[in-house]
């Protein structure tokens, strides 16, 4: 996958330029770069990852390609409580599949969102993993999990074939269900 693929996976979930978004488990920043392109200069992005070296490399890449982007880099474990302002959106790309018990984490992350905020997930479209991707979740499984965590709507955005595990998809979840 290249930058264009990353942008296309997020495009339908990032409806308006600007706002405050966070990229949880951002790694080297492929999707942070995509957010910077889609959101434009008026937005702010908080990029969160445990790997300080990856965040430093990401910062160099963002400054090179999007010098006016406002990105804050935080070395942190996204599964632990974080001090964040209310977010307009969350991107979690290829990070949720490292969590065996996903529901408590997704509920916690949803708590960072403003009431009309969006959660954009990028994940492998299978329910059985391997040593490198231990706990992926298909789109159907994400729909069910998102509903259990209080999202009212979940929509498929895009898919890209993967030579590793069938395909990578993106989906957006938003709104509060009656159970929250």
């Amino acid at each position: 996958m290249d930058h264009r693929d990353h942008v296309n996976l997020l495009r339908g979930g990032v409806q308006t330029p600007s706002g405050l978004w966070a990229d949880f488990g951002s790694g080297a920043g492929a999707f942070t770069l995509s957010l910077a392109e889609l959101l434009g200069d008026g937005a702010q992005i908080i990029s969160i990852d445990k790997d300080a070296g990856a965040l430093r490399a990401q910062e160099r890449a963002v400054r090179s390609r999007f010098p006016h982007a406002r990105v804050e880099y935080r070395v942190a474990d996204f599964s632990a409580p974080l001090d964040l302002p209310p977010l307009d959106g969350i991107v979690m790309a290829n990070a949720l599949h490292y969590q065996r018990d996903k529901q408590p984490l997704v509920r916690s992350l949803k708590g960072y969102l403003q009431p009309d905020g969006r959660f954009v997930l990028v994940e492998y479209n299978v329910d059985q993993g391997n040593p490198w991707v231990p706990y992926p979740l298909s789109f159907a499984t994400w729909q069910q999990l998102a509903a259990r965590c209080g999202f009212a709507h979940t929509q498929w955005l895009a898919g890209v074939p993967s030579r590793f595990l069938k395909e990578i998809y993106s989906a957006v979840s938003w709104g509060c269900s009656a159970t929250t």
Side-chain angles (χ1 to χ4, degrees):
M1 286 198 328
D2 61 19
H3 179 72
R4 216 35 37 223
D5 292 321
H6 299 139
V7 169
N8 288 335
L9 282 166
L10 299 185
R11 185 178 308 282
V14 181
Q15 299 270 314
T16 56
S18 76
L20 175 59
W21 284 69
D23 185 356
F24 286 87
S26 60
F31 289 94
T32 307
L33 285 161
S34 300
L35 271 176
E37 180 172 324
L38 290 166
L39 293 172
D41 295 343
Q44 182 178 351
I45 301 166
I46 302 170
S47 179
I48 303 162
D49 200 272
K50 290 192 286 188
D51 185 340
L55 288 174
R56 284 191 298 274
Q58 181 187 138
E59 184 174 7
R60 287 189 297 273
V62 169
R63 285 182 192 221
S64 170
R65 294 189 66 185
F66 302 101
H68 300 294
R70 294 179 14 217
V71 181
E72 175 187 338
Y73 302 91
R74 289 199 191 180
V75 178
D77 178 351
F78 61 73
S79 66
L82 299 168
D83 182 21
L84 294 172
L87 301 170
D88 296 301
I90 288 173
V91 168
M92 181 168 255
N94 297 325
L96 190 56
H97 59 233
Y98 293 109
Q99 303 293 317
R100 180 187 297 266
D101 189 10
K102 295 169 179 51
Q103 187 165 322
L105 176 61
V106 173
R107 280 187 184 274
S108 173
L109 295 175
K110 184 180 184 294
Y112 296 124
L113 286 171
Q114 297 201 46
D116 59 346
R118 294 170 160 255
F119 189 121
V120 179
L121 180 72
V122 178
E123 189 53 74
Y124 289 95
N125 197 12
V126 296
D127 288 312
Q128 190 164 8
N130 60 37
W132 301 274
V133 180
Y135 311 110
L137 62 163
S138 66
F139 175 68
T141 300
W142 172 246
Q143 285 181 297
Q144 295 166 8
L145 175 61
R148 285 194 313 271
C149 291
F151 288 102
H153 309 284
T154 295
Q155 175 184 330
W156 172 278
L157 295 174
V160 176
S162 169
R163 59 189 169 126
F164 300 110
L165 288 173
K166 185 180 162 187
E167 101 183 302
I168 293 175
Y169 72 92
S170 60
V172 60
S173 298
W174 72 96
C176 292
S177 69
T179 62
T180 60

